[in-house]
Amino acid sequence: MLKKLWQVIVAIVLALMAIMFSVSTVTNIGCTVKTDTLFVHDTTNLGACFAAFINENYQAAFLFSDPMADLSSSDVKIRWGSNTHTFSRKGYGEGPAIQFSDTLALSIGVTYTVSLFSNLGGCEGNCIIPDTCQITHPSDNDTLRLGWNVLVSWNRAQNANFYYIYYGFGAYDSAGYWIEYISGNTFALDTTCTIPASFFNVPGAAYYQGGVYVYPYYGPIPQAGATGNMQGFVKGFLYAEGEEGWVYFYVGTPYKKLSVMEFPKPTKKDAHKAILSRLGLR
């Protein structure tokens, strides 16, 4: 009799504990996930990562995941003021990833909210498109000494957290004949960048003609293990990019200075690839 009474008491206690620690439903952008209330903070989908790039004329976003997210149920939306817009183009791309894009006319200094919706989860974050930066050194069409480091500096762009720097130069011999083109890229938190003298090492080159592009970015510095700046069930990186500053110049005394330099301008997609690569997503 006592044994049966004890079993009844144990059953009642277990039922009360189940009620106290019941499973709750947590809803976030793009998905509904059931999670124990004791671990409600541990909700990131480790199999997916989102990255978005916003500028005045072009917007692109990528949802990396394995397995791939469902295309039909995945969307990216952008909001500002009373405006809400869904990215008009999406499809599968390299990564593997779903790629989203649009060509909205946006403005510097405005706060934009970007949201991801997908069957794998979602995330949301805010960004501000930075101002344009202007390069202050070297001067356009300047001639710098070969064998020395090249110091590049620019003004601090408002709302920029870091800068993407692309540099490229054509190598020429002493008679002015082209040898080859060399290029590189890097990132900076401050407003200076040093191109080492060892970069200018093409055999037979007497001088180099080329230049530097500097892009201001709002968002987390891209590096392995970086923390995202979007909230939700998918880890997200949201970047806003301002218009670039640039300068053309010579390193070494040229055979003849040109009135107009030919220099391949990097595209926004080149910058996106460099950032995604630094994040380990490509």
Side-chain angles (χ1 to χ4, degrees), residues 49-123:
C49 190
F50 178 70
F53 301 90
I54 306 300
N55 65 55
E56 291 179 89
N57 304 303
Y58 177 71
Q59 301 80 41
F62 307 85
L63 174 56
F64 299 91
S65 63
D66 187 11
M68 293 282 284
D70 178 60
L71 182 64
S72 63
S73 61
S74 300
D75 281 304
V76 173
K77 295 188 177 183
I78 184 169
R79 306 193 312 271
W80 68 101
S82 60
N83 304 289
T84 300
H85 181 83
T86 300
F87 281 22
S88 60
R89 292 179 292 275
K90 63 180 178 179
Y92 291 114
E94 63 176 303
I98 293 179
Q99 298 184 11
F100 311 83
S101 65
D102 217 314
T103 53
L104 299 171
L106 304 180
S107 301
I108 291 173
V110 174
T111 298
Y112 294 96
T113 300
V114 175
S115 306
L116 165 70
F117 300 82
S118 83
N119 62 305
L120 300 180
C123 55

Side-chain angles (χ1 to χ4, degrees), residues 167-186:
Y167 47 92
F169 295 85
Y172 295 81
D173 65 16
S174 57
Y177 289 101
W178 182 85
I179 302 174
E180 66 175 276
Y181 181 78
I182 57 174
S183 65
N185 65 74
T186 188

Side-chain angles (χ1 to χ4, degrees), residues 201-271:
N201 63 354
V202 175
Y207 69 94
Y208 298 80
Q209 166 198 315
V212 178
Y213 281 87
V214 178
Y215 296 79
Y217 272 88
Y218 174 103
I221 184 74
Q223 57 190 359
T227 300
N229 60 340
M230 303 182 76
Q231 301 297 317
F233 288 87
V234 173
K235 185 176 183 179
F237 296 87
L238 176 56
Y239 294 99
E241 49 200 6
E243 288 303 305
E244 70 279 3
W246 70 89
V247 63
Y248 298 159
F249 56 93
Y250 297 90
V251 177
T253 303
Y255 174 76
K256 180 177 68 173
K257 280 197 173 186
L258 302 176
S259 56
V260 178
M261 286 194 185
E262 294 183 2
F263 178 60
K265 178 181 178 180
T267 67
K268 290 289 195 301
K269 291 183 179 180
D270 293 328

Side-chain angles (χ1 to χ4, degrees), residues 1-174:
M1 185 70 176
L2 290 175
K3 183 176 181 180
K4 289 184 177 179
L5 179 60
W6 174 251
Q7 290 175 340
V8 171
I9 293 173
V10 170
I12 293 172
V13 171
L14 291 175
L16 290 173
M17 290 179 66
I19 293 173
M20 291 173 62
F21 299 102
S22 60
V23 173
S24 64
T25 300
V26 179
T27 303
N28 207 308
I29 298 296
C31 66
T32 300
V33 176
K34 287 186 179 295
T35 179
D36 194 287
T37 53
L38 294 177
F39 303 100
V40 68
H41 62 284
D42 189 16
T43 54
T44 301
N45 184 340
L46 298 179
C49 190
F50 178 70
F53 301 90
I54 306 300
N55 65 55
E56 291 179 89
N57 304 303
Y58 177 71
Q59 301 80 41
F62 307 85
L63 174 56
F64 299 91
S65 63
D66 187 11
M68 293 282 284
D70 178 60
L71 182 64
S72 63
S73 61
S74 300
D75 281 304
V76 173
K77 295 188 177 183
I78 184 169
R79 306 193 312 271
W80 68 101
S82 60
N83 304 289
T84 300
H85 181 83
T86 300
F87 281 22
S88 60
R89 292 179 292 275
K90 63 180 178 179
Y92 291 114
E94 63 176 303
I98 293 179
Q99 298 184 11
F100 311 83
S101 65
D102 217 314
T103 53
L104 299 171
L106 304 180
S107 301
I108 291 173
V110 174
T111 298
Y112 294 96
T113 300
V114 175
S115 306
L116 165 70
F117 300 82
S118 83
N119 62 305
L120 300 180
C123 55
E124 181 174 275
N126 298 322
C127 66
I128 302 174
I129 299 176
D131 285 346
T132 302
C133 67
Q134 300 292 331
I135 294 181
T136 57
H137 183 271
S139 301
D140 205 35
N141 209 35
D142 204 354
T143 300
L144 305 182
R145 184 170 178 177
L146 184 60
W148 288 28
N149 292 341
V150 173
L151 176 66
V152 182
S153 59
W154 55 89
N155 69 302
R156 189 175 300 279
Q158 187 173 2
N159 296 314
N161 300 122
F162 70 93
Y163 303 87
Y164 168 71
I165 302 100
Y166 173 90
Y167 47 92
F169 295 85
Y172 295 81
D173 65 16
S174 57

